[in-house]
Amino acid sequence: MKNAVKKAGWLVGGALLLSGGAFTASVVASSEAVNAQLEGWAKTVEALGGRVVVKSNEQTAFGGRQVTVLQFGQDVEVELTSSYRNGPWLPGGRFGASLVSTDVTFSPKLQRVLDAGTNGKHVTLETLVSFGGRTTTSIDLPAASFEADGMRVSWSASRGTLRSSGPRSSSELTLDRVSLEDEDVAFSLENVRFSNDAREVGAGLSFGSSAFSVARATVKAEGESVGVRDFTLKSSVDGDDGKVNVSAETAIGEIDGPEMDVRNVRLAGSLRSLDRVGLVTLVRAASDFAGTLAEDDPVVTRNLSSAVSRLLNGGPVLSLDEVSFSMPQGSVRLSANVAFTSGAKLDLERLVDDPSALLERLTAGARFEADEAVLRALEAEVGEEGAVSSIVDAGLLIRENGKLRATVEVDAKGVRVNGEALPPEFFRENDDAPTSSDDEDLATTCAKDLFLAQELYRRTHESYASKAEDLEFDEACEGTVEVVIDAANANGWAGGVRARSGGSVVRVSNEGLGE
């Protein structure tokens, strides 16, 4: 009996010792879990232009309570009330470092509307933190039905799970139905699913994949409806040997509506063999550039240019993997790609002035195939009858067994369509297009015409803040024209129109006119 009591004592003592150690670790883990959660929210909110404010923080030996407010402008707030319980023994018979339960509420006006639609139920999050640092968060969205600003909104109860362990994270979210409806339009989504799996690989870069799908989307208006079935959107990022590959794909099983029957729609594209260092540098430089755009910081601009140059020299491949769809008359499929020579010494700043160097270091290709009946149906739909025949007669499409096909190849040797090189005159808009020897005369004519147009415009307007379409000058001068107008030309060209004094550089384009 004494030995049994002694063993029991050792077991109880050992259990208490282990529990005490686990409890101490739980207190630390609970605090770290709440802080990590807060840091994650802060990054997201700040990226959206908001800020995070810790309203209160109370701690006890067995847990604590923290209230955090996410602020977006003056009127939009999200309040997160987190209660955390230290382990190792947690509610529901669970074992772990801590359990964090969070209740989500919104600004008072919005919350009153939501409470009426959800019978007072709130969005809740529950995070279980293991001793190894792994976290599992369950998100519960209550069902709701309410009306706001003439719009009737409803959605089904939804549940999601977020998992995180070291550099890896994943999530799954589901929503059975959501609908919006007013007097004119009704919109609904059914069986919405989202999932992702990511792994941080350093320098702010993550590899992984994500998928979003909707079983059916429906829009009803004016007694008619359009439906989309089996919509999916997938993306992935991976890489090795200093390269990164990015791909995305959208697919639609069926689009049905009035006089509409389109199926098997697919749009897929990718960016492959992106230089990893160049990509990371580009993302950082682009962020800096956006933040200093008004200041025109030359250092930031140079970093951005350097990053793009490194990407181009890394031999990237831009690919339109597939654009395809089918109709009752048949199917259409297109693919294309552009590849840059690896190891080329290209500089973006020089390419802006002379893009020919870029063209010498790339190859491109495209393939097109369609059932002729589909193109004829589309031709009739848009009212361009005869267009398909004209393209076939020009040799740009080849007819084979009821299908129309075309291939395009571009490299340093030129452009080939269906294996045949295109003659130089193909690229001229018309036979009267000016040659290089006419450029100087055309520039002079455009300068004079532009100046006169400005002076005529100025007679009835106080400023030159006009668009090119407001001016009356030769259409051959449209595009972007930059001319120097000196006093002599002004006096000589203006004639009876009031001449401008002095000289200036005037630019005009379809975007606008300025000095």
Side-chain angles (χ1 to χ4, degrees):
M1 178 66 72
K2 289 183 178 180
N3 288 334
V5 172
K6 189 174 182 179
K7 285 184 178 180
W10 279 111
L11 289 173
V12 172
L16 290 174
L17 183 62
L18 290 173
S19 296
F23 177 76
T24 302
S26 298
V27 174
V28 175
S30 294
S31 177
E32 290 179 346
V34 173
N35 288 335
Q37 196 176 59
L38 181 60
E39 289 177 2
W41 289 333
K43 290 180 180 179
T44 302
V45 172
E46 288 172 0
L48 297 174
R51 68 188 188 114
V52 176
V53 178
V54 177
K55 195 172 181 179
S56 64
N57 188 0
E58 303 172 0
Q59 296 186 15
T60 67
F62 297 97
R65 183 175 182 272
Q66 178 170 299
V67 179
T68 306
V69 178
L70 314 181
Q71 296 180 336
F72 301 92
Q74 297 180 346
D75 302 324
V76 181
E77 287 188 352
V78 181
E79 187 168 284
L80 309 170
T81 303
S82 300
S83 300
Y84 50 97
R85 171 76 176 269
N86 299 328
W89 316 114
L90 300 170
R94 288 171 288 189
F95 182 83
S98 66
L99 185 67
V100 182
S101 300
T102 302
D103 184 78
V104 182
T105 56
F106 300 88
S107 304
K109 183 179 179 180
L110 175 58
Q111 191 60 48
R112 285 193 294 270
V113 175
L114 293 175
D115 285 343
T118 62
N119 293 321
K121 295 181 180 180
H122 295 170
V123 178
T124 60
L125 298 83
E126 187 177 72
T127 302
L128 176 64
V129 184
S130 70
F131 285 106
R134 177 176 178 174
T135 65
T136 302
T137 300
S138 298
I139 304 173
D140 284 295
L141 176 70
S145 179
F146 57 89
E147 184 171 340
D149 298 327
M151 177 74 71
R152 294 179 293 280
V153 183
S154 66
W155 61 74
S156 61
S158 175
R159 186 175 180 82
T161 304
L162 311 177
R163 297 182 179 87
S164 177
S165 180
R168 301 197 71 95
S169 63
S170 64
S171 62
E172 301 93 29
L173 302 172
T174 64
L175 181 63
D176 291 335
R177 181 178 174 81
V178 58
S179 65
L180 298 88
E181 183 178 356
D182 63 13
E183 294 181 355
D184 302 315
V185 180
F187 173 74
S188 65
L189 299 176
E190 298 176 16
N191 296 326
V192 181
R193 302 287 185 268
F194 172 79
S195 65
N196 87 308
D197 189 351
R199 173 175 59 90
E200 295 180 3
V201 294
L205 189 64
S206 294
F207 288 169
S209 61
S210 64
F212 174 78
S213 65
V214 178
R216 182 167 178 80
T218 305
V219 178
K220 296 181 179 180
E222 298 181 354
E224 297 182 336
S225 68
V226 175
V228 174
R229 293 182 182 273
D230 300 326
F231 170 84
T232 61
L233 174 61
K234 300 178 180 179
S235 65
S236 68
V237 181
D238 59 33
D240 54 23
D241 298 328
K243 299 291 186 178
V244 176
N245 305 309
V246 182
S247 65
E249 175 185 340
T250 298
I252 298 175
E254 180 183 4
I255 304 174
D256 60 81
E259 300 181 5
M260 181 183 299
D261 187 2
V262 181
R263 303 172 186 243
N264 305 319
V265 179
R266 183 170 184 260
L267 172 61
S270 60
L271 298 172
R272 302 192 298 273
S273 296
L274 299 176
D275 182 86
R276 183 167 170 174
V277 175
L279 179 62
V280 172
T281 304
L282 176 64
V283 172
R284 292 176 178 172
S287 177
D288 293 340
F289 182 79
T292 60
L293 188 58
E295 302 175 12
D296 193 21
D297 190 329
V299 175
V300 174
T301 303
R302 186 165 56 250
N303 290 341
L304 186 63
S305 174
S306 176
V308 174
S309 299
R310 176 156 186 158
L311 282 172
L312 292 175
N313 294 328
V317 179
L318 289 70
S319 178
L320 182 62
D321 299 320
E322 183 177 342
V323 176
S324 62
F325 63 89
S326 62
M327 297 171 61
Q329 297 88 346
S331 61
V332 175
R333 187 179 187 279
L334 169 69
S335 62
N337 69 80
V338 177
F340 295 86
T341 304
S342 179
K345 296 181 180 180
L346 299 173
D347 182 86
L348 182 62
E349 295 182 1
R350 294 180 180 178
L351 290 175
V352 172
D353 297 327
D354 182 17
S356 61
L358 181 64
L359 298 177
E360 294 172 357
R361 290 169 175 79
L362 69 78
T363 59
R367 298 182 65 84
F368 175 81
E369 179 181 286
D371 287 291
E372 185 169 352
V374 176
L375 299 186
R376 295 293 183 185
L378 294 174
E379 176 185 69
E381 183 70 23
V382 299
E384 292 290 339
E385 295 186 12
V388 174
S389 297
S390 297
I391 297 174
V392 173
D393 292 342
L396 300 179
L397 285 175
I398 297 177
R399 185 181 285 111
E400 294 179 357
N401 301 321
K403 292 185 180 291
L404 295 176
R405 295 185 173 92
T407 61
V408 178
E409 299 169 279
V410 181
D411 54 29
K413 297 179 181 179
V415 180
R416 294 176 298 282
V417 176
N418 301 322
E420 299 291 333
L422 290 182
E425 55 268 20
F426 177 83
F427 298 98
R428 296 178 184 171
E429 293 185 6
N430 54 61
D431 295 337
D432 297 327
T435 62
S436 58
S437 61
D438 297 325
D439 287 346
E440 186 174 348
D441 292 339
L442 177 62
T444 302
T445 301
C446 285
K448 177 180 178 181
D449 203 41
L450 171 60
F451 176 78
L452 293 174
Q454 287 183 107
E455 291 302 321
L456 290 169
Y457 183 87
R458 188 173 182 178
R459 295 187 68 180
T460 55
H461 298 78
E462 294 182 357
S463 70
Y464 284 93
S466 67
K467 291 185 177 180
E469 61 189 25
D470 298 327
L471 303 178
E472 295 181 3
F473 64 99
D474 192 337
E475 292 182 358
C477 299
E478 287 185 355
T480 299
V481 182
E482 181 174 327
V483 295
V484 177
I485 300 176
D486 57 27
N489 285 337
N491 292 326
W493 292 342
V497 182
R498 180 177 56 83
R500 295 175 58 186
S501 60
S504 64
V505 176
V506 181
R507 298 176 180 86
V508 66
S509 72
N510 292 331
E511 299 296 326
L513 173 70
E515 297 180 71

